[in-house]
Amino acid sequence: MSLGVRWRLHGDGKNLAPGEIVRPDERLTWGRTAGLGAQHVVSMIGACFVAPILMGLDANLAVMASGAATILFLLITRGRIPSYLGSSLSFIGVAAVIQTQGGDAATLTGALLVVGAVLFLCGAAIRALGARVLHALLPPVVTGAVVMLIGFNLAPVTAGTYWPQDQWTALLTMVFTGFALVVLRGFWSRIAIFLGLAFGYLVSWVFDRVFGKIHSPAGGTEPVDHWRLDLSGVAKADWIGLPTLHAPSFSLSAVLVALPVVIALIAENAGHVKAVGEMTGDPLDDKLGTAIMADGAATVMATSVGGPATTTYAENIGVMAATRVYSTAAYWCAAGFAILFGLCPKFGAVVAAIPGGVLGGITVILYGMIGLLGAQIWVRSRVDLSNPLHLVPVAAGLIVGIGNVSLKLTDNFELSGIALGTLIVLVGYHALRALAPAHMKAEPPLTDTDNPGYDRGLPGGS
C-alpha cells in the first residue's frame, strides 16, 4: 500500500496558471518545492517555539520534534492530508497548573504523553464508528466552552509572570503584534506572532542601551536589577548539537489536569481536516479518525523524549490557501528543515533569551485569541446561549475554569481549573439534556457543510 511518498510532476514543474492548484500527490521542481517547504517553516516557527518556552520545555527539541511528527503524520495518513504538526499552544495553561502543583518538565511531558495516547484511541473510535459519534459526544456548545476556558485560564500567567518584568516593552510588543495581525497582508500576516517577537526583541535591546538595567521581577522572582535581553547564553552555545532529551514521569493529578485538552485537540483537528478537504476538493471525512490517530501518535513520540504535544497548524493551512500548492512533498521538505534547525543549539539559545516583557505582550493577544476561539465555535455553529440547556453548564464551567475554582476530593487529590471546568460543562450538558424538555433540544444539524463549528485561523492551530 502506498505511503504517499511518490509525487508526479505538475506540468513542467515551473509555471502555474492563475488559480491553478497543485494536488497533494503532485509537486513542482525540487528547488521550488524546497522553497515552499522553507516558507512553511517560517510560517510555523513563531508559534512552534513560543509554546515550549511558555511551558518550560526545550525549544530546539520542540522544533526538531515538529519535523519528526510531521513525517509520522504524513506516513500514517498516507500523504492524503497535507498538514504540518507543530507544538500545541493548548497545553500552556496545563503547564502553568502543573508547575504550581510542584511538577517539573518530566511531569508535564508525562501528562502530555497520556493525552496523546487518549487522542490516538479517540481517533481509532471515530475511525471505526464514524464522525457522527464525535458530534454527538462533543457538540459545539461543549467544545466552544472548553476551548474558551483553556485560553482565559491563562490570564494570570501573563498578568502575574510576564507583564511585570517589563511593562513598557510588553505594551509596545502588544501594540505592534496587533498591528501586524490586522494591517499586514498575505504571507506577512501569517507570521505576525514571529514578527511581534522580533520587534519585542529589538525594543528590549534598544531599551537596554538607552536606559540600562531594569529593576523588576525576573521570571516571577523578587524585583532585581537585570538586563532585559541577556545574550550571554547565545555566545556560549554550539552551532551543532543535539537538544536536551528527558524521559517523562507520570502523576495522576497532572494527567487529570491535562486530559480536558483532548476535547480541544479533537475540535481543531476536525476543523483543519475539513478546511484542507474543502481547499483540495477532496472530501476527507473518511480520514478524520486517521488524522486524529496520527496526531495522537505524533504527540506520544514527541513527549516520550521530552518534547511538547503536537497539533495540526492553521498557519500552514493559510500558506496553502495563499499559494494553492497542496503538495505533501513541500511538507517533507519543511520537516527536514525543522529537524536541521533543532540540531543548532545557538538557535535555541536565541529563542531562550526572549525577554519576559516580550512574552507578556505576545501572550496578552495569544491567550485571548485562544479563548475567543471558543466564541467563534459558538458563532459558526449558531449555538443559542439563551437556551438554559446551553447557558447553565457553560456559565458554571467557565467561571470554575477561568477562576481556578477547586474541589477537594481527598487529602491528596483535588480537581480544579481547566479539569473541573471541563467536567462541569461536559457532564452537566449531557445530564441536563437527558432531563430537558424537547423544545430545548432542538439544535441545527451538526454535520451540515454550512455549519462546520470549528475555527480555522488561530496561530498555532489552537
Side-chain angles (χ1 to χ4, degrees):
M1 186 177 292
S2 172
L3 292 176
V5 294
R6 302 183 67 176
W7 304 272
R8 63 179 184 273
L9 192 66
H10 180 88
D12 63 1
K14 300 178 181 179
N15 301 302
L16 293 175
E20 189 176 3
I21 70 170
V22 179
R23 298 187 61 78
D25 60 348
E26 297 177 329
R27 65 169 177 86
L28 300 177
T29 61
W30 279 114
R32 288 170 172 77
T33 298
L36 287 165
Q39 180 173 261
H40 278 298
V41 170
V42 173
S43 177
M44 69 84 189
I45 198 73
C48 193
F49 72 60
V50 167
I53 289 172
L54 297 177
M55 291 188 287
L57 300 176
D58 188 321
N60 268 45
L61 178 57
V63 173
M64 177 184 284
S66 76
T70 298
I71 290 173
L72 181 61
F73 181 90
L74 293 172
L75 289 173
I76 293 176
T77 59
R78 303 193 181 279
R80 192 171 164 193
I81 306 175
S83 284
Y84 193 93
L85 266 62
S87 307
S88 176
L89 291 162
S90 297
F91 292 95
I92 296 172
V94 169
V97 173
I98 290 175
Q99 288 169 4
T100 61
Q101 294 177 345
D104 57 11
T107 309
L108 172 62
T109 51
L112 269 52
L113 189 152
V114 174
V115 169
V118 172
L119 185 64
F120 180 90
L121 294 176
C122 289
I126 294 168
R127 181 178 179 181
L129 301 175
R132 294 197 66 88
V133 67
L134 168 63
H135 299 298
L137 181 62
L138 301 175
V141 63
V142 171
T143 55
V146 173
V147 172
M148 182 174 286
L149 68 86
I150 286 172
F152 292 160
N153 177 267
L154 296 168
V157 178
T158 294
T161 301
Y162 297 124
W163 192 279
Q165 293 184 44
D166 187 355
Q167 61 177 0
W168 295 112
T169 297
L171 180 63
L172 290 173
T173 302
M174 179 193 73
V175 171
F176 178 86
T177 305
F179 170 88
L181 284 165
V182 174
V183 177
L184 298 184
R185 295 289 182 268
F187 172 72
W188 294 106
S189 68
R190 298 291 175 183
I191 59 169
I193 300 296
F194 177 79
L195 294 177
L197 285 168
F199 173 82
Y201 215 98
L202 178 61
V203 168
S204 297
W205 181 83
V206 171
F207 279 9
D208 279 343
R209 306 281 83 72
V210 175
F211 302 114
K213 292 184 177 181
I214 187 174
H215 184 76
S216 70
T221 64
E222 292 297 319
V224 295
D225 291 330
H226 63 95
W227 295 110
R228 297 167 183 82
L229 179 61
D230 183 1
L231 296 176
S232 59
V234 178
K236 299 175 183 177
D238 296 328
W239 281 102
I240 300 175
L242 287 173
T244 303
L245 308 180
H246 70 256
S249 64
F250 301 95
S251 162
L252 177 59
S253 61
V255 169
L256 290 176
V257 169
L259 273 178
V261 183
V262 168
I263 297 174
L265 295 179
I266 291 174
E268 67 186 14
N269 270 284
H272 290 171
V273 169
K274 186 177 182 64
V276 171
E278 290 177 355
M279 285 192 301
T280 61
D282 179 18
L284 295 171
D285 286 349
D286 62 318
K287 287 292 183 180
L288 176 58
T290 302
I292 293 173
M293 288 174 62
D295 189 12
T299 291
V300 169
M301 178 188 69
T303 55
S304 66
V305 294
T310 63
T311 188
T312 50
Y313 259 31
E315 288 92 332
N316 301 94
I317 292 174
V319 170
M320 288 193 296
T323 62
R324 300 180 69 81
V325 177
Y326 310 124
S327 172
T328 55
Y331 282 104
W332 276 87
C333 291
F337 288 137
I339 291 172
L340 290 177
F341 267 128
L343 291 172
C344 179
K346 197 169 287 290
F347 166 77
V350 171
V351 172
I354 294 174
V358 177
L359 294 176
I362 292 291
T363 54
V364 162
I365 294 177
L366 194 59
Y367 294 170
M369 290 173 67
I370 295 172
L372 289 176
L373 169 56
Q376 291 182 22
I377 291 174
W378 290 339
V379 171
R380 290 172 184 261
S381 302
R382 302 191 297 275
V383 173
D384 181 10
L385 289 179
S386 67
N387 183 344
L389 173 58
H390 299 159
L391 183 62
V392 171
V394 165
L398 285 179
I399 293 299
V400 166
I402 295 171
N404 272 325
V405 174
S406 297
L407 181 65
K408 190 171 184 178
L409 301 177
T410 70
D411 290 338
N412 300 315
F413 179 72
E414 66 177 31
L415 288 172
S416 63
I418 295 173
L420 183 58
T422 297
L423 192 63
I424 288 174
V425 173
L426 182 61
V427 176
Y429 171 79
H430 286 290
L432 290 174
R433 184 176 176 81
L435 301 172
H439 71 274
M440 289 187 183
K441 302 178 184 180
E443 298 176 3
L446 295 176
T447 55
D448 192 323
T449 56
D450 294 327
N451 185 27
Y454 302 108
D455 176 73
R456 303 174 188 173
L458 181 69
S462 306

